[in-house]
C-alpha cells in the first residue's frame, strides 16, 4: 500500500486505519475457511477470465428467465459462486483507483497457507510500488498472527487515547460522551474474537456448479455431484 509517486516521508494510503481494521476483521472468517482442492482453480481465477457475466443470471423484478430453469433468483449457482469468490476480497472501495487484494486458504497434507493475490493497474496518477500482479503465500498461522497483532496494537493505542480523554475530562469545545466512547471501545475489543467464532456456511455443491459454469466447464457442470 505504498504510493508510487507521493513525495512524503510516509507515502502510504491516507485513510482511517479503523476502516482497514474493520474490513480485515470481517473478512478473516472467509479467509480461514479452507478452499476444497477442486475449487482452487476457480478461487485463483479473475472475473475477466470467466466465460459469462454473473449479472446475466440475476432476474429483474417480474422477469422470467429461461436459461436452465433455475435462473429466476439470486440463488442461481452462478450468482452464488460469484458472491463466494467476491467474499474473499478485501474492500478498498473507499480509495480512488483501488487495488484488488484477495485472500484464500489452502490445506493439503502438511501445507496450510493463505494465498494473497494483489492486482492493480496504474492509471498514470495513482500507482503503488508493488508490481501490477503479485501472488504470494504465507503460513495460515502467520496470517492469523498478523491479524491479531493489528487488532491488539490498534485497540491498545486507542485505549490509551480514551484513557487520556477520560483523565482530561474531554476536550475543550468538543461535545464528547466519554461514557459512550469507553463503551464503544470495549465493544470493539470483542470484534475479533466474535468474528473468529463465526464459520461461513458455504454450500460447496452449489459453488462447484456455479464455478464450472463460470469457467466454461459445461460438461462437468451437468454432471451429478458426488
Amino acid at each position: 500500500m505504498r504510493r508510487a509517486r507521493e513525495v512524503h516521508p510516509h507515502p502510504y494510503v491516507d485513510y482511517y486505519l479503523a476502516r482497514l481494521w474493520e474490513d480485515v476483521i470481517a473478512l478473516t472468517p472467509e479467509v480461514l475457511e479452507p478452499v476444497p482442492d477442486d475449487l482452487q482453480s476457480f478461487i485463483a481465477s479473475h472475473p475477466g477470465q470467466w466465460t459469462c457475466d454473473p449479472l446475466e443470471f440475476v432476474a429483474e423484478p417480474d422477469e422470467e428467465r429461461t436459461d436452465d430453469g433455475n435462473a429466476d433468483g439470486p440463488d442461481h449457482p452462478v450468482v452464488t459462486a460469484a458472491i463466494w469468490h467476491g467474499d474473499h476480497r478485501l474492500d478498498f472501495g473507499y480509495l480512488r483507483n483501488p487495488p484488488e487484494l484477495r485472500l484464500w486458504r489452502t490445506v493439503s497434507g502438511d501445507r496450510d497457507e493463505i494465498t494473497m493475490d494483489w492486482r492493480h493497474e496504474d492509471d498514470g496518477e495513482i500507482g503503488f510500488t508493488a508490481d501490477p500482479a503479485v501472488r504470494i503465500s504465507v503460513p495460515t498461522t502467520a496470517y492469523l498472527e498478523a491479524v491479531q497483532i493489528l487488532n491488539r496494537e490498534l485497540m491498545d493505542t486507542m485505549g490509551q487515547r480514551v484513557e487520556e480523554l477520560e483523565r482530561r475530562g474531554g476536550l475543550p469545545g468538543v461535545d464528547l460522551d466519554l461514557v459512550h466512547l469507553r463503551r464503544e471501545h470495549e465493544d470493539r475489543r470483542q470484534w475479533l474474537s466474535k468474528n473468529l467464532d463465526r464459520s461461513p456456511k458455504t454450500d460447496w455443491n452449489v459453488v462447484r456448479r456455479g464455478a464450472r459454469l463460470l469457467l466454461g466447464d459445461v460438461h462437468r457442470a451437468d454432471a451429478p455431484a458426488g
Side-chain angles (χ1 to χ4, degrees):
M1 302 299 291
R2 184 186 178 99
R3 299 288 196 187
R5 299 181 181 83
E6 193 169 335
V7 181
H8 191 278
H10 304 287
Y12 300 96
V13 168
D14 182 13
Y15 202 80
Y16 302 103
L17 182 57
R19 173 61 191 271
L20 175 64
W21 169 81
E22 290 175 1
D23 292 336
V24 168
I25 295 297
L27 181 67
T28 292
E30 277 68 33
V31 175
L32 293 179
E33 182 180 42
V35 176
D37 291 344
D38 60 339
L39 284 170
Q40 288 290 327
S41 60
F42 176 60
I43 193 64
S45 69
H46 290 268
Q49 301 171 306
W50 296 348
T51 60
C52 56
D53 184 348
L55 293 178
E56 297 175 1
F57 294 82
V58 179
E60 296 293 334
D62 302 323
E63 177 184 347
E64 293 185 3
R65 300 297 302 233
T66 59
D67 301 79
D68 61 4
N70 295 316
D72 57 355
D75 292 331
H76 186 275
V78 163
V79 178
T80 299
I83 291 174
W84 174 81
H85 187 279
D87 282 345
H88 290 77
R89 180 184 298 112
L90 186 60
D91 183 11
F92 287 126
Y94 48 88
L95 300 177
R96 290 177 55 204
N97 190 27
E100 179 182 291
L101 181 62
R102 295 189 306 114
L103 304 99
W104 65 89
R105 183 179 182 182
T106 300
V107 178
S108 180
D110 295 334
R111 175 187 174 203
D112 186 350
E113 58 190 20
I114 303 295
T115 297
M116 297 182 290
D117 186 271
W118 159 283
R119 303 279 172 139
H120 183 258
E121 184 174 346
D122 192 325
D123 63 359
E125 180 181 357
I126 295 178
F128 297 93
T129 56
D131 290 337
V134 180
R135 180 174 292 178
I136 61 174
S137 296
V138 299
T140 298
T141 53
Y143 166 81
L144 188 55
E145 181 182 10
V147 172
Q148 291 169 334
I149 289 174
L150 170 64
N151 177 73
R152 181 175 63 253
E153 292 186 350
L154 179 59
M155 291 299 99
D156 287 350
T157 301
M158 291 308 300
Q160 293 170 7
R161 293 187 179 187
V162 173
E163 290 175 2
E164 180 182 354
L165 289 170
E166 290 172 334
R167 287 195 301 269
R168 297 172 60 182
L171 292 172
V174 178
D175 185 8
L176 183 61
D177 187 336
L178 292 174
V179 173
H180 183 78
L181 179 63
R182 166 61 66 180
R183 185 183 304 120
E184 179 180 353
H185 179 64
E186 294 306 321
D187 177 68
R188 285 176 177 264
R189 282 190 179 276
Q190 310 304 316
W191 284 19
L192 177 58
S193 60
K194 289 179 179 178
N195 274 274
L196 291 179
D197 287 339
R198 176 173 63 83
S199 298
K201 294 178 173 55
T202 304
D203 188 330
W204 294 116
N205 286 331
V206 174
V207 173
R208 286 186 177 100
R209 179 168 172 78
R212 291 164 187 164
L213 290 167
L214 285 167
L215 295 178
D217 196 344
V218 179
H219 177 72
R220 291 185 60 194
D222 292 336

